[in-house]
């Protein structure tokens, strides 16, 4: 096993004293060792980030933008290595994993050019009142396993742009690409401005309760998000929480089934369904229900599931054994409750955590496969007759990330989509995001926003400055 991965603390690569194994989900076998931060290493990282925040970093806007541009360069030049690590530790197909590394580089570049506004609120003989943005301080960036590089970049870039410093902790399932990225960033980031620690959930808990941390930027599950709220309460830490989703897609009877089915399918199954804003439940009008189930099942059977490193693989394994067991359990429960499995439905034989894309029809609307976030390659399809009823069903949940309506009547689709209680809604597409729009959840799917200028504001305090004329 490769022991070359290290924490980045105060500009140094620190081998660490404790380690844990990282498993390749395509084989089920450990393939590398990751350092696990001790309390003392975490203290060093927070101290380094605090010292860097107090130095020239926060006052030098031009240097920070240049740093972000150089972060983009080193990330891009390491994209092949980083992508391979993502494919090995997370399981997405290699081309997608490399695309994720390039996306991280692009995020650094985009934020390097973002405006941090200074707004004039009032100007007159009595003086000038401006609204300015100030960095918050040391920011904890805690990331999940499904998009380790993209979720890290989404936090690093806005945090650094406005002058914060960062202690990041990736998921213990996928820490290696973040540590490898950190080793590259070390070449271009001042010591202490970015620290990255390998470690378990416990290291995340230490970090989010640490008095030296002013802001927590978190992407992960709702349960952990709530723990982070508790951990930060005494200190009134600033929080951005990007949490789970159970995105509904509502398919109206006027669609052309053959035309919408591929978009629906890939919006549900990309990255083996392990995307917060993937379609997690389809409600299809009874007029198109059976043809849609048949089309989706055909696409599921045709999808190429296999080794992420093999060219042509469309879907890799599920990321961990626990996740595989969860998805299998939800499908088995739906089947016991009368669900009709029309494609897939059982783990694949052989090593690794492979579960084929699975379509489950006729699932009772209150089955856990429908009401909970499966975060894996199993899609329930529920029939409906009445649009008001289905909107009520779609909204009868604590989740509120994204949703979509599929119809030949775009205007009606937009009217109905607005009634979905979600942070982002689409008509005739899903999972289509851009830097020019904020991304975040309502209800239990999150607190705050990421992306663009809305995301930047999450890493700032506002300061109102009254200056004489
Ligand atoms: P998770 O909550 O188990 O872990 C996420 C991170 O939090 C990991 O780094 C973990 O070590 C850390 N952690 C765990 N317990 C902690 C604690 N008590 N204090 C601080 N940190 C702690 O989530 P996961 O299983 O890695 O990710 C899957 C979840 O992430 C899904 O629910 C998915 O929907 C969600 N997600 C949301 C978005 C979004 O933008 N809304 C994007 C991707 C994933």
């Amino acid at each position: 096993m490769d022991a070359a991965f290290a924490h980045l603390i105060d500009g140094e690569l620190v081998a660490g004293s404790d380690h844990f194994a990282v498993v390749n989900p395509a084989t089920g076998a450990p393939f590398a060792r990751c350092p696990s931060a001790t309390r003392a290493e975490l203290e060093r990282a927070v101290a380094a980030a605090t010292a860097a925040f107090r130095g020239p970093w926060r006052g030098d806007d031009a240097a920070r933008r240049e740093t972000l541009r150089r972060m983009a360069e080193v990330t891009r030049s390491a994209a092949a290595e980083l992508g391979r690590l993502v494919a090995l530790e997370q399981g997405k197909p290699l081309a997608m994993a490399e695309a994720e590394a390039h996306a991280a580089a692009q995020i650094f570049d985009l934020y390097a050019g973002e405006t941090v506004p200074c707004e004039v609120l009032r100007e007159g003989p009595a003086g000038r009142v401006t609204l300015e943005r100030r960095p918050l301080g040391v920011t904890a960036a805690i990331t999940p396993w499904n998009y380790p590089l993209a979720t890290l970049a989404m936090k690093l870039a806005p945090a650094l742009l406005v002058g914060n410093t960062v202690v990041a902790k990736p998921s213990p399932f996928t820490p290696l690409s973040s540590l490898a990225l950190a080793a590259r960033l070390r070449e271009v980031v001042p010591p202490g401005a970015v620290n990255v620690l390998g470690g378990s959930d416990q290291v995340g808990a230490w970090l989010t309760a640490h008095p030296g941390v002013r802001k927590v930027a978190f992407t992960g599950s709702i349960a952990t998000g709530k723990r982070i709220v508790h951990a930060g309460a005494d200190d009134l830490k600033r929080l951005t929480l990007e949490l789970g989703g159970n995105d509904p897609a509502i398919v109206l009877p006027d669609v052309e089934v053959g035309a919408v089915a591929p978009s629906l399918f890939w919006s549900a199954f990309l990255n083996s369904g392990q995307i917060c804003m993937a379609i997690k439940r389809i409600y299809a009008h009874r007029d198109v229900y059976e043809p849609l189930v048949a089309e989706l099942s055909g696409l599921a059977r045709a999808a190429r599931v296999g080794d992420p490193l093999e060219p042509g693989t469309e879907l890799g394994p599920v990321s961990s054994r626990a996740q595989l067991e969860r998805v299998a359990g939800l499908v088995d429960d739906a089947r016991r409750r009368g669900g009709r499995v029309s494609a897939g439905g059982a783990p694949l034989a052989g090593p690794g955590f492979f579960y084929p894309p699975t379509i489950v029809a006729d699932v009772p609307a209150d089955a856990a496969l429908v009401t909970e976030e499966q975060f894996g390659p199993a899609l329930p399809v529920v029939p409906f007759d009445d649009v008001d009823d289905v909107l009520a069903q779609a909204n009868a949940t604590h989740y509120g990330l994204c949703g979509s309506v599929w119809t030949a009547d775009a205007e009606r689709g937009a009217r109905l989509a607005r009634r979905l209680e979600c942070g982002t809604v689409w008509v005739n597409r899903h999972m289509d995001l851009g830097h020019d729009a904020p991304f975040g959840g309502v209800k239990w799917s999150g607190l705050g926003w990421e992306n663009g200028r809305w995301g930047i504001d999450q890493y700032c305090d506002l300061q109102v400055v009254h200056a004489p004329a």
Side-chain angles (χ1 to χ4, degrees):
M1 282 199 290
D2 185 351
F5 296 95
H7 310 296
L8 175 63
I9 304 176
D10 201 11
E12 284 175 30
L13 296 178
V14 176
S17 44
D18 297 346
H19 290 84
F20 60 92
V22 178
V23 170
N24 176 347
T27 62
F31 75 101
R33 285 194 327 151
C34 177
S36 183
T38 61
R39 189 91 211 203
E41 286 160 346
L42 180 124
E43 290 299 337
R44 265 191 71 199
V46 175
T50 306
F53 183 66
R54 292 197 181 126
W57 173 252
R58 64 191 288 188
D60 194 342
D61 180 77
R64 293 195 308 271
R65 290 176 190 275
E66 182 54 22
T67 299
L68 280 168
R69 276 185 209 102
R70 298 188 65 202
M71 287 168 67
E73 275 165 27
V74 294
T75 306
R76 205 167 281 122
S77 69
E81 173 208 351
L82 295 172
R84 192 177 159 83
L85 282 171
V86 170
L88 287 172
E89 66 183 357
Q90 194 273 324
K92 63 171 65 80
L94 186 59
M96 272 180 68
E98 282 182 15
E100 185 183 339
H102 282 286
Q106 196 192 7
I107 289 165
F108 295 139
D109 259 341
L110 280 168
Y111 278 90
E114 269 288 345
T115 306
V116 182
C118 171
E119 298 160 59
V120 179
L121 302 180
R122 197 191 307 150
E123 198 163 23
R128 194 174 141 97
V129 181
T130 51
L131 179 61
E132 304 183 14
R133 269 111 180 132
R134 303 276 172 260
L136 296 167
V138 176
T139 297
I142 305 206
T143 48
W145 46 259
N146 61 335
Y147 280 85
L149 291 176
T151 52
L152 180 59
M154 285 298 292
K155 292 167 178 50
L156 284 177
L160 297 177
L161 171 67
V162 295
N164 301 288
T165 56
V166 178
V167 180
K169 195 212 75 73
S171 165
F173 294 105
T174 56
L176 305 177
S177 52
S178 298
L179 293 177
L181 175 64
R184 296 307 180 108
L185 297 184
R186 174 174 176 257
E187 300 159 19
V188 297
V189 174
V194 174
N195 307 272
V196 182
L197 301 175
S200 62
D201 296 353
Q202 177 63 64
V203 177
W206 288 338
L207 193 55
T208 54
H210 196 290
V213 168
R214 198 63 214 113
K215 155 89 186 180
V216 180
F218 172 73
T219 299
S221 64
I222 290 173
T224 306
K226 289 182 180 182
R227 282 184 204 112
I228 288 172
V229 172
H230 285 286
D234 274 350
D235 193 29
L236 289 180
K237 291 189 197 306
R238 303 302 190 253
L239 304 177
T240 308
L241 305 176
E242 295 292 350
L243 307 179
N246 190 11
D247 289 11
I250 297 176
V251 183
L252 300 186
D254 60 0
V255 295
E256 197 185 315
V257 169
V260 296
S263 299
L264 284 163
F265 180 84
W266 286 109
S267 300
F269 287 99
L270 197 72
N271 199 25
S272 299
Q274 302 165 121
I275 302 185
C276 55
M277 57 176 155
I279 293 173
K280 306 275 171 43
R281 44 192 172 132
I282 290 183
Y283 296 96
H285 191 275
R286 207 171 296 276
D287 289 356
V288 288
Y289 185 75
E290 286 303 341
L292 183 62
V293 168
E295 285 280 340
L296 292 171
S297 304
L299 289 161
R301 283 189 285 269
R304 285 181 302 238
V305 181
D307 183 346
L309 300 182
E310 199 64 50
T313 293
E314 293 176 308
L315 295 173
V318 173
S319 277
S320 66
R321 180 174 298 286
Q323 201 54 28
L324 177 83
E325 285 170 1
R326 168 152 174 83
V327 172
L330 288 170
V331 171
D332 290 347
D333 172 71
R335 190 189 270 124
R336 273 194 300 275
R337 300 200 49 198
R340 169 169 49 105
V341 177
S342 58
L348 298 180
F353 312 137
F354 287 95
Y355 198 91
T358 293
I359 305 293
V360 191
D362 304 339
V363 196
D366 62 347
L369 183 61
V370 180
T371 60
E372 295 179 16
E373 182 190 36
Q374 67 276 45
F375 214 61
L379 181 66
V381 191
V382 180
F384 76 88
D385 297 297
D386 177 79
V387 161
D388 291 318
D389 280 354
V390 81
L391 283 167
Q393 279 186 62
N395 288 333
T397 172
H398 287 301
Y399 294 97
L401 198 56
C402 309
S404 53
V405 176
W406 300 68
T407 171
D409 180 345
E411 270 182 38
R412 180 171 182 231
R415 270 198 314 277
L416 297 176
R418 287 191 180 91
R419 291 170 60 190
L420 287 170
E421 296 165 359
C422 310
T424 302
V425 290
W426 295 277
V427 178
N428 295 338
R429 64 198 132 117
H430 205 105
M431 279 212 298
D432 181 9
L433 292 184
H435 186 68
D436 54 355
F439 178 69
V442 304
K443 301 198 229 176
W444 289 5
S445 284
L447 210 59
W449 298 91
E450 286 193 310
N451 255 9
R453 60 191 164 93
W454 305 271
I456 289 170
D457 268 352
Q458 301 281 313
Y459 292 88
C460 305
D461 275 329
L462 297 182
Q463 186 177 48
V464 179
V465 180
H466 293 252

